[in-house]
Amino acid sequence: GATMARQGAPMIDVGGESTPPGAAAVWENDEIERVLPLVQELAAGGNAVSIDTRKSGVMSAALAAGARLVNDVSALTWDPQSAAVGAKIRPPVVLMHHQGDPQTMQKDPRYDDVLVEVYLWLEERIAAAEAAGITRDKILIDPGIGFGKTVAHNLELMYGLALLHGLGCPMVVGASRKRMIGALSNEAPTDQRLPGSIALALKAVEQGAQIVRVHDVPETVQALKIWRGLRDAALTPKFA
């Protein structure tokens, strides 16, 4: 985490429960024991930390230890007490779209129109969070690339991400090393998906995403600096 911060990551996302397709749930106390020392040490070192969890107890412990943001892949649906934590402590909260749970979400996911359905689902979750006392200025959204979606669904979402700005909340996109990259590149294993991860990060920021969640920090930071330089140059008036 400290190395990632030195390499240019403005925030470190700490999680103690794996939630990709097929992952098993982790007991809350075990998750707290996993993440708390890391959150404490990173926060004490002056790093901004987000806590990646579905559990209210983990949220509360991590926020007390110095975490500044809650990243909930269940969009506050997994633990009925999570919304109350967000309303009381008032950290920024990321609401991520998903279909099903980690054990079932990749078993034949279906949508009539994935972009519209993700939009409407997130709209409902934003309204639920506001009803629970979380103000809109504390809400971020995540389309949930790879969470209950086929490769075709993920591609359609990435291509149309800009639509989600209509929800009026900052957007987080986490596509780094996802299964879709392997599917489109001769089944490349996870540790060989850097080029695809950078391509998706650039597409996300091109579509206006404010935050990209990545594994390979220096490579992505450099790619984004070049992208920003090209964009700024294109927008700079030329004088004779």
Side-chain angles (χ1 to χ4, degrees):
T3 298
M4 286 180 165
R6 288 194 298 271
Q7 292 170 339
M11 180 172 287
I12 308 300
D13 195 41
V14 175
E17 179 185 51
S18 183
T19 52
V26 175
W27 189 45
E28 185 174 79
N29 285 355
D30 287 343
E31 191 175 335
I32 290 173
E33 288 181 4
R34 291 177 180 182
V35 302
L36 210 57
L38 299 174
V39 172
Q40 290 172 331
E41 186 165 352
L42 288 168
N47 303 292
V49 179
S50 66
I51 182 65
D52 180 355
T53 185
R54 304 180 289 174
K55 302 179 181 71
S56 59
V58 182
M59 294 176 190
S60 297
L63 290 167
R68 302 184 189 180
L69 179 145
V70 170
N71 181 19
D72 185 353
V73 299
S74 80
L76 305 178
T77 64
W78 199 84
D79 183 339
Q81 301 303 315
S82 294
V85 172
K88 180 180 179 181
I89 304 178
R90 293 181 51 78
V93 177
V94 180
L95 305 178
M96 194 193 80
H97 177 273
H98 63 281
Q99 188 181 93
D101 56 37
Q103 289 75 38
T104 64
M105 62 188 179
Q106 288 305 109
K107 294 181 179 179
D108 195 28
R110 294 173 181 265
Y111 301 87
D112 291 326
D113 187 318
V114 65
L115 194 56
V116 171
E117 289 179 50
V118 168
Y119 184 103
L120 294 175
W121 190 94
L122 286 170
E123 187 174 50
E124 290 179 359
R125 293 312 305 155
I126 291 169
E130 289 185 302
I134 300 173
T135 56
R136 184 174 282 258
D137 66 310
K138 295 292 185 179
I139 298 173
L140 301 88
I141 57 166
D142 184 334
I145 301 298
F147 281 75
K149 299 168 185 75
T150 65
V151 172
H153 294 147
N154 291 323
L155 291 171
E156 189 172 348
L157 270 175
M158 289 298 303
Y159 189 76
L161 280 177
L163 175 70
L164 301 183
H165 291 300
L167 293 166
C169 298
M171 189 191 309
V172 180
V173 175
S176 176
R177 300 188 186 178
K178 288 289 176 73
R179 171 74 184 84
M180 65 181 292
I181 301 171
L184 293 171
S185 54
N186 200 30
E187 299 302 328
T190 305
D191 61 355
Q192 294 178 27
R193 297 177 185 174
L194 173 59
S197 297
I198 291 176
L200 292 174
L202 292 175
K203 184 63 177 178
V205 297
E206 176 189 290
Q207 294 280 316
Q210 285 87 353
I211 298 174
V212 287
R213 184 177 181 270
V214 306
H215 299 85
D216 304 289
V217 174
E219 297 88 347
T220 309
V221 167
Q222 184 180 87
L224 291 173
K225 284 181 177 179
I226 300 305
W227 173 84
R228 184 177 296 130
L230 290 168
R231 184 198 60 177
D232 291 348
L235 295 174
T236 301
K238 294 180 175 60
F239 298 97

